Amino acid sequence: MLNLILFGPPGSGKGTQSEKLIAKYGLKHLSTGDLLRSEIAQKTPLGLEAKSLMDKGQLVPDAVVIGMISSALETNPEAKGFLFDGFPRTSAQAEALDKLLELKETSIKMMLAMVVTEEELVSRLLKRGETSGRSDDNNEGVIRARIAEYHNKTAAVADYYKKFDKVVTVKGEGTVDEIFGGLCKEIDSTLD
Ligand code: B4P
């Protein structure tokens, strides 16, 4: 199985690049952000709890997202591989993911970490907020809180995978196609 993590701060292009990567490599896309927004749209109790945290720019509890990923892995037994987008976001999530994959006798092949400056992140997210209807995108204070959560809790996830020599950094600024080219080059080099 080809299991990849697409990693980076909010607005680094994870969702954008995921669409292209799953099409090229035939992977199943697992985005915890998308799964949470689907719960919110259906007004489930989990969605209501998540919305109040997401609207403040905070992460939702580990147990909630680990549970969602666990059931998504169970419901896709035929997948050739998974692209994890926006997950894991804490060290506890990373450890849980390793255990879940071990049960399926597989593991993470590589973490692709996209690098983008903070000002570019804020500008992209404010721009998306003009049209997306996402309440976490239309307020600069909330966007900066999300970036702070990334530095406080999520950046350490890259250190976790560095211990296993699984992290490659990729430039996350430029055109969408240029960035996609950089990601594919790294993935293809592990498939040889
Ligand atoms: P996510 O849905 O994961 O969203 P995100 O990090 O904000 O954005 P993403 O990185 O996917 O956006 P993209 O760059 O593609 O998380 C939302 C919230 O859910 C979190 O704050 C948290 O509360 C919660 N959550 C999710 N997962 C969690 C977890 N595991 N644990 C706990 N909580 C969790 O797009 C940004 C914009 O940039 C777009 O408008 C795009 O068009 C634009 N863009 C992309 N590439 C560009 C380029 N090259 N040039 C210019 N613009 C570009």
Side-chain angles (χ1 to χ4, degrees):
M1 280 178 101
L2 176 63
N3 299 309
L4 304 172
I5 296 171
L6 192 56
F7 187 75
S12 54
K14 302 185 294 286
T16 307
Q17 296 295 334
S18 289
E19 296 302 325
K20 296 172 76 71
L21 290 169
I22 55 165
K24 174 160 176 168
Y25 295 99
L27 304 175
K28 172 75 188 163
H29 184 199
L30 291 184
S31 157
T32 39
D34 288 350
L35 292 169
L36 289 167
R37 282 185 289 278
S38 154
E39 297 281 342
I40 292 171
Q42 293 168 57
K43 298 193 166 58
T44 63
L46 190 159
L48 292 176
E49 183 196 350
K51 184 171 175 12
S52 68
L53 292 164
M54 288 164 77
D55 282 350
K56 286 185 265 184
Q58 295 171 4
L59 295 182
V60 306
D62 286 337
V64 171
V65 282
I66 292 167
M68 289 191 322
I69 288 289
S70 172
S71 46
L73 291 176
E74 287 312 309
T75 47
N76 289 283
E78 307 300 327
K80 278 170 53 185
F82 293 95
L83 177 65
F84 297 95
D85 160 8
F87 179 90
R89 260 178 157 98
T90 63
S91 303
Q93 292 179 20
E95 284 167 27
L97 177 60
D98 273 0
K99 290 201 183 102
L100 288 170
L101 292 176
E102 215 174 289
L103 290 174
K104 294 175 80 71
E105 297 180 346
T106 185
S107 62
I108 291 295
K109 179 90 178 167
M110 158 190 269
M111 168 187 268
L112 297 144
M114 291 194 291
V115 182
V116 179
T117 61
E118 180 156 339
E119 287 323 298
E120 172 72 10
L121 298 173
V122 174
S123 131
R124 283 184 191 178
L125 293 173
L126 281 172
K127 188 156 171 249
R128 181 168 68 183
E130 289 167 12
T131 52
S132 68
R134 272 181 60 169
S135 47
D136 57 346
D137 277 347
N138 56 18
N139 175 308
E140 186 168 339
V142 172
I143 290 172
R144 294 215 183 256
R146 285 157 64 192
I147 295 171
E149 281 279 85
Y150 171 80
H151 289 301
N152 292 337
K153 297 179 183 162
T154 305
V157 175
D159 297 332
Y160 175 85
Y161 288 100
K162 270 182 202 153
K163 285 190 291 195
F164 306 103
D165 209 15
K166 290 187 176 178
V167 181
V168 291
T169 53
V170 176
K171 196 171 159 222
E173 292 189 39
T175 68
V176 168
D177 285 339
E178 281 164 359
I179 298 161
F180 182 60
L183 292 167
C184 293
K185 198 170 135 220
E186 294 296 344
I187 297 168
D188 293 344
S189 73
T190 70
L191 298 179
D192 295 339

